[in-house]
Amino acid sequence: CEFSEHYELERFPFDRQDLQMDVRQDAPGFWGARETGFDLSIFSVQFHRNALLLPEWLSYEPIVKRNIASPHKATVVQLQVVRAPHFYLTSIIGVLIMLSSLSFVVFQMPVEPLDSRLNVILTLLLTEIAFKFIIAESIPKVGYSTLMDAFVVTNLVFLAMMVVIVTFAYRLRDMCAYQEECSAEVNAAGTCTIEPPGGLTELGCAWGLEPNMFSGCFGL
């Protein structure tokens, strides 16, 4: 006979699969009380050689235990296999971590021009999106999100947030420059007539910021 069970892949690629078999004999002519009838016992579980040579799975010692409700005529056999995640750690997770980590180099680049920083992050973002389609064949297609799916999406969201941070840092630098110019004119003429760069007034209002808040601005 053949037994089958659906994979539970919520924790893929760190998932463990359990195949549980309930062995029972309920023939009334042979099974009675433990003292007068037979006692069903399983002494060994043998694996086919091919089952032990699966490259992606590690087989563990089977668990054999009696059924609590009918201990003398029912036995439970539980087979456990654990996925070996080395391939996914090195070929997928490691590559995505490396690509996302490369985005930190933008903080060592000049704030201006903005497009230089954005080009680096957007290139990494597009690379990860293309990589996601490449690895699609290596990831199970199921109707729910796995741990691997969550990790891939988290990396994409991280790079998207880096775009927002770099853009905001650029606009904040403009606000700091405006504050310095305005302070210099106030010292000379007693008033500031310099118009803030386009968008900075709206940006400050949106974030609850005022130009005089950045008198001690630092390079971002």
Side-chain angles (χ1 to χ4, degrees), residues 100-101 103-104 121 153-163:
S100 297
S101 299
S103 63
F104 288 105
I121 300 177
V153 172
T154 299
N155 278 269
L156 296 176
V157 172
F158 170 77
L159 289 178
M161 291 301 299
M162 288 290 287
V163 172

Side-chain angles (χ1 to χ4, degrees), residues 106 109-122 162-171 174:
V106 300
M109 299 172 60
V111 177
E112 298 180 357
L114 175 62
D115 53 353
S116 297
R117 283 181 159 188
L118 289 181
N119 285 340
V120 173
I121 300 177
L122 293 177
M162 288 290 287
V163 172
V164 176
I165 292 173
V166 168
T167 304
F168 178 71
Y170 174 77
R171 303 303 291 169
D174 282 352

Side-chain angles (χ1 to χ4, degrees), residues 87-149:
F87 167 78
Y88 301 97
L89 289 174
T90 57
S91 300
I92 298 179
I93 296 178
V95 172
L96 290 176
I97 292 177
M98 180 189 66
L99 290 174
S100 297
S101 299
L102 287 175
S103 63
F104 288 105
V105 302
V106 300
F107 295 112
Q108 297 299 320
M109 299 172 60
V111 177
E112 298 180 357
L114 175 62
D115 53 353
S116 297
R117 283 181 159 188
L118 289 181
N119 285 340
V120 173
I121 300 177
L122 293 177
T123 299
L124 292 173
L125 181 60
L126 293 176
T127 301
E128 287 199 2
I129 293 175
F131 186 70
K132 183 179 185 299
F133 285 102
I134 294 174
I135 65 177
E137 295 297 327
S138 302
I139 298 179
K141 297 176 177 61
V142 292
Y144 50 85
S145 296
T146 64
L147 197 61
M148 177 68 77
D149 296 328

Side-chain angles (χ1 to χ4, degrees), residues 11-64:
R11 294 184 55 83
F12 173 85
F14 306 104
D15 53 311
R16 184 186 70 180
Q17 307 300 329
D18 298 326
L19 174 60
Q20 180 171 310
M21 297 173 288
D22 294 330
V23 183
R24 299 178 57 89
Q25 173 56 270
D26 292 326
F30 297 94
W31 301 93
R34 181 180 179 88
E35 294 77 9
T36 59
F38 292 95
D39 186 12
L40 176 61
S41 299
I42 296 179
F43 293 98
S44 66
V45 178
Q46 295 181 348
F47 286 94
H48 192 278
R49 180 178 59 184
N50 294 339
L52 300 177
L53 298 177
L54 296 176
E56 193 175 347
W57 298 96
L58 301 175
S59 301
Y60 283 78
E61 182 179 354
I63 299 175
V64 180

Side-chain angles (χ1 to χ4, degrees), residues 140-217:
K141 297 176 177 61
V142 292
Y144 50 85
S145 296
T146 64
L147 197 61
M148 177 68 77
D149 296 328
F151 178 78
V152 173
V153 172
T154 299
N155 278 269
L156 296 176
V157 172
F158 170 77
L159 289 178
M161 291 301 299
M162 288 290 287
V163 172
V164 176
I165 292 173
V166 168
T167 304
F168 178 71
Y170 174 77
R171 303 303 291 169
L172 186 60
R173 180 65 176 268
D174 282 352
M175 183 174 286
C176 291
Y178 162 72
Q179 174 64 29
E180 293 174 357
E181 294 177 4
C182 191
S183 298
E185 183 172 328
V186 168
N187 292 335
T191 182
C192 178
T193 59
I194 300 177
E195 292 293 332
L200 285 184
T201 303
E202 294 79 3
L203 178 68
C205 293
W207 286 81
L209 304 175
E210 296 294 339
N212 57 13
M213 295 174 61
F214 301 97
S215 56
C217 285

